[in-house]
Amino acid sequence: MLLDFLTGNPLARRLADAALIRYAHRRTAALDRADVPEVQRKTLLSVVQRARETKFGRDHGFSRITTVDQFQAAVPVRTYEDFWQGYWQASFPSLKGTTWPDFIPYYALSSGTTTGTTKYIPISKEMLASNRKAAFTTVALFGHAAPEARLSSGRIFFLGGNTELRRETNGSRSGDLSAIASIEISRLSRPYTFPPRELSGIADWNVKVRRLAEAAARLPITSLSGVPAWMQVLFHHLKEVTGKTRVADIWPRLRLLIHGGTKFDPFRESFRQELGPNVRFVEVYPCSEGFVATEDPRYDLLRVVPAHGIFFEFVPMDEFENGRLKSNRPVRHTLATVETGQQYAVVVTTCAGLWSYQVGDTIAFEKRDPPLIRFTGRTKYYLSAFGEHLISEEVTKAITEAARQSGATASEFHVGPVFSADPKKPGHHRYLVEFHEPPRDLGQFTDRLDAALRRLNEDYDAHRQGDLSMLRPEVLVVKPEAFMRWMVAHGRKLPQGKVPEMDNTGEQTKAITAWLRDHGEVGEVGEVAT
């Protein structure tokens, strides 16, 4: 209690804000001065030297590697399954000396393998420090751009997932990355953060979010971070608890909203209406494997941060076929050689023993110096059942644009192909869309969606000409929070579970549609608000 008083009283908070702003200016200046290729080279050689006596290091001649080119020649690009089968499975959870020299205290659980099984991503003590440094960099870039925000005057709200950690046989623990982060929060930081452990530890998401809303409604929240879809659920409960019509009236001191994990475009307009003009939206790009990038408010773009113990490589998307690499020796660029306007798959080497590891995300560079990117999707998220070659970024842009033109705001969506049973009749795309505000006219929304896709993608436009090889898309309206109920029914933990946005085979689309229809979750436009 004495520590809480010393760190949480008004004077301490003013001093904390002053220190944070000084740090923000220094950190931003250091980032701007950094020689990014040289920083990345030193980062790579440092982790290679650290792991030279591991099994992986001996297998790949780490003791002889002195350049980036030598590393790329020695180490092929690998997937999670490659690491699991080749290095981890036999000794898991005791991975000391396999791909990293030290004891691994945590494993971040993540879905997304091709087999649908859970991934166990090693989190070393160095990776914990890397994640903390990345978090401070995010706050620093915001603080440099908005020094008047005074985040330390209130509470920083981390809307995380399940905080239950399972104890493994060797004493390590596994669970959601947000659970690991909550345990690792410094005691000095706790008076400035929310929620406390007794609330973050509630296992049932629906109970937890209600309790969080009840407690947080009385607090001076200055910053909120989380996945957009689950923040929407929190907003709903906050307004029910308080009787207010907008979150801006509940948290008037809110100045920063940090979002990640999914494209924000479909949520932006509704969040702006909910939170008012004084809140800055800042995107982060973290993943279980490591923190990739954070938004620099001066550019309104994600900035790859080069000095967090992670070495980045980028594989052009023409090295992929059907979502998989054509070979494990593709063309590999670094932050020194990437080109703007190209689609790349992200590959990381980390201070937790991942070596040229394929994350599964795709990005495009807007600028090389500083390294500014935008997240474009997943390597496995694409649509080309009819030769249309649509990527996630294009679909998200089209939905957002069609919603805006139709007086609607969309949140979650899923899209996949529907193949015609009649060989003489073309197939089409089926969109399952959950609206925050429904369109006035669903037919108009569909037409505008189709038109936006035709403008954004020449292949799509060619296949839509005259309805010869692909028909107009079909849009089914999904009732509010129906995707959340679908995820719960299929064992996906909340809130870290994500709606699978794109399905190139059509099988998943068929299964999701069947479940939604069987459970009365597909409604007409007029039913959406009920």
Side-chain angles (χ1 to χ4, degrees):
M1 290 183 68
L2 177 61
L3 179 63
D4 289 350
F5 171 75
L6 292 175
T7 58
N9 68 74
L11 176 60
R13 289 180 180 275
R14 288 195 294 273
L15 293 174
D17 266 321
L20 182 62
I21 296 306
R22 285 197 299 272
Y23 167 77
H25 295 323
R26 289 198 305 270
R27 177 65 177 141
T28 301
L31 280 173
D32 290 344
R33 289 193 306 266
D35 181 341
V36 172
E38 178 62 13
V39 169
Q40 279 281 277
R41 185 189 70 82
K42 289 180 177 179
T43 296
L44 175 65
L45 296 182
S46 174
V47 293
V48 165
Q49 179 71 8
R50 185 86 167 79
R52 67 189 185 281
E53 296 301 327
T54 63
K55 183 179 187 306
F56 192 95
R58 294 192 302 271
D59 288 349
H60 295 82
F62 276 13
S63 62
R64 300 186 299 275
I65 291 175
T66 59
T67 68
V68 171
D69 289 342
Q70 288 174 351
F71 172 80
Q72 291 182 327
V75 180
V77 175
R78 284 179 168 90
T79 64
Y80 174 83
E81 289 87 345
D82 295 329
F83 275 97
W84 180 255
Q85 294 165 11
Y87 286 92
W88 296 339
Q89 187 172 21
S91 60
F92 183 84
S94 300
L95 299 189
K96 181 178 180 179
T98 55
T99 56
W100 192 249
D102 298 335
F103 171 74
I104 300 294
Y106 296 105
Y107 294 93
L109 301 186
S110 177
S111 61
T113 67
T114 56
T115 59
T117 56
T118 299
K119 295 189 291 188
Y120 291 80
I121 306 299
I123 306 292
S124 64
K125 68 179 187 298
E126 290 90 346
M127 182 53 69
L128 292 171
S130 171
N131 288 337
R132 282 194 294 270
K133 188 174 182 181
F136 276 108
T137 299
T138 298
V139 174
L141 287 170
F142 169 77
H144 178 74
E148 74 287 350
R150 298 181 62 234
L151 298 183
S152 298
S153 67
R155 298 291 187 104
I156 301 172
F157 188 158
F158 298 102
L159 182 60
N162 186 352
T163 59
E164 180 182 357
L165 291 174
R166 184 175 67 224
R167 181 76 64 173
E168 301 293 346
T169 55
N170 70 333
S172 61
R173 288 182 284 182
S174 60
D176 183 61
L177 187 61
S178 63
I180 298 169
S182 68
I183 285 178
E184 291 292 326
I185 289 177
S186 160
R187 280 281 294 122
L188 289 173
S189 300
R190 293 199 178 277
Y192 300 92
T193 62
F194 179 85
R197 286 186 180 179
E198 61 268 21
L199 291 181
S200 63
I202 298 173
D204 187 309
W205 165 251
N206 292 312
V207 173
K208 175 179 173 177
V209 72
R210 182 71 180 193
R211 293 282 303 280
L212 291 174
E214 291 169 348
R218 303 188 298 270
L219 294 175
I221 301 298
T222 55
S223 174
L224 173 66
S225 69
V227 176
W230 309 119
M231 287 194 276
Q232 270 192 335
V233 177
L234 173 69
F235 294 165
H236 170 75
H237 285 286
L238 280 168
K239 290 184 288 186
E240 274 198 346
V241 166
T242 63
K244 304 285 188 181
T245 57
R246 292 195 316 154
V247 174
D249 300 323
I250 303 169
W251 292 335
R253 291 162 65 179
L254 185 68
R255 292 296 178 267
L256 172 62
L257 184 139
I258 301 173
H259 60 88
T262 187
K263 293 290 288 182
F264 191 62
D265 290 354
F267 299 88
R268 189 177 301 276
E269 187 173 339
S270 64
F271 273 47
R272 178 59 65 210
Q273 293 172 0
E274 193 73 73
L275 301 177
N278 296 323
V279 178
R280 175 80 196 208
F281 302 146
V282 168
E283 183 178 6
V284 291
Y285 177 6
C287 54
S288 300
E289 293 83 1
F291 201 102
V292 178
T294 187
E295 184 174 333
D296 189 328
R298 295 172 298 173
Y299 302 100
D300 290 329
L301 287 166
L302 287 165
R303 180 173 185 160
V304 180
V305 185
H308 285 176
I310 300 174
F311 177 73
F312 298 100
E313 297 174 270
F314 305 93
V315 176
M317 284 306 294
D318 58 14
E319 297 282 342
F320 287 78
E321 187 173 5
N322 296 326
R324 295 176 180 271
L325 276 173
K326 298 173 186 176
S327 89
N328 66 358
R329 295 287 183 178
V331 173
R332 291 148 73 175
H333 290 278
T334 67
L335 287 173
T337 62
V338 291
E339 297 178 358
T340 58
Q342 301 296 315
Q343 293 280 330
Y344 293 104
V346 179
V347 172
V348 297
T349 289
T350 77
C351 54
L354 301 180
W355 306 97
S356 293
Y357 174 101
Q358 185 184 327
V359 173
D361 295 334
T362 62
I363 59 94
F365 279 83
E366 294 292 319
K367 193 175 181 181
R368 195 162 75 187
D369 185 19
L372 302 176
I373 65 171
R374 67 179 193 276
F375 180 89
T376 59
R378 299 279 293 171
T379 55
K380 65 180 180 178
Y381 282 172
Y382 63 96
L383 279 179
S384 196
F386 311 110
E388 62 275 34
H389 300 113
L390 281 175
I391 62 172
S392 176
E393 181 184 39
E394 292 166 337
V395 171
T396 302
K397 281 184 177 179
I399 289 175
T400 303
E401 182 177 315
R404 184 176 62 250
Q405 293 173 348
S406 305
T409 52
S411 52
E412 304 280 15
F413 72 87
H414 172 89
V415 58
V418 176
F419 300 99
S420 174
D422 182 352
K424 297 180 181 180
K425 183 179 179 182
H428 63 277
H429 291 161
R430 172 178 292 158
Y431 286 81
L432 304 167
V433 185
E434 186 175 307
F435 290 98
H436 182 65
E437 292 290 337
R440 293 180 290 271
D441 184 322
L442 186 60
Q444 183 186 72
F445 171 85
T446 305
D447 288 338
R448 288 175 170 169
L449 170 64
D450 187 41
L453 290 170
R454 296 184 72 162
R455 190 186 68 258
L456 290 167
N457 188 294
E458 292 181 0
D459 288 329
Y460 179 89
D461 181 57
H463 285 276
R464 283 286 296 118
Q465 294 289 341
D467 289 347
L468 290 178
S469 58
M470 189 165 60
L471 299 177
R472 174 179 181 264
E474 169 192 18
V475 178
L476 300 180
V477 178
V478 176
K479 292 185 177 180
E481 300 184 14
F483 278 126
M484 181 176 70
R485 292 186 283 273
W486 175 83
M487 286 190 284
V488 170
H490 289 80
R492 302 190 179 209
K493 290 184 178 181
L494 303 180
Q496 61 266 39
K498 299 175 186 176
V499 177
E501 292 182 345
M502 302 177 77
D503 165 34
N504 195 51
T505 68
E507 293 302 312
Q508 189 175 46
T509 303
K510 184 188 299 182
I512 295 175
T513 302
W515 188 92
L516 292 172
R517 281 175 167 158
D518 289 346
H519 291 79
E521 299 284 15
V522 177
E524 299 298 328
V525 168
E527 299 174 341
V528 172
T530 62

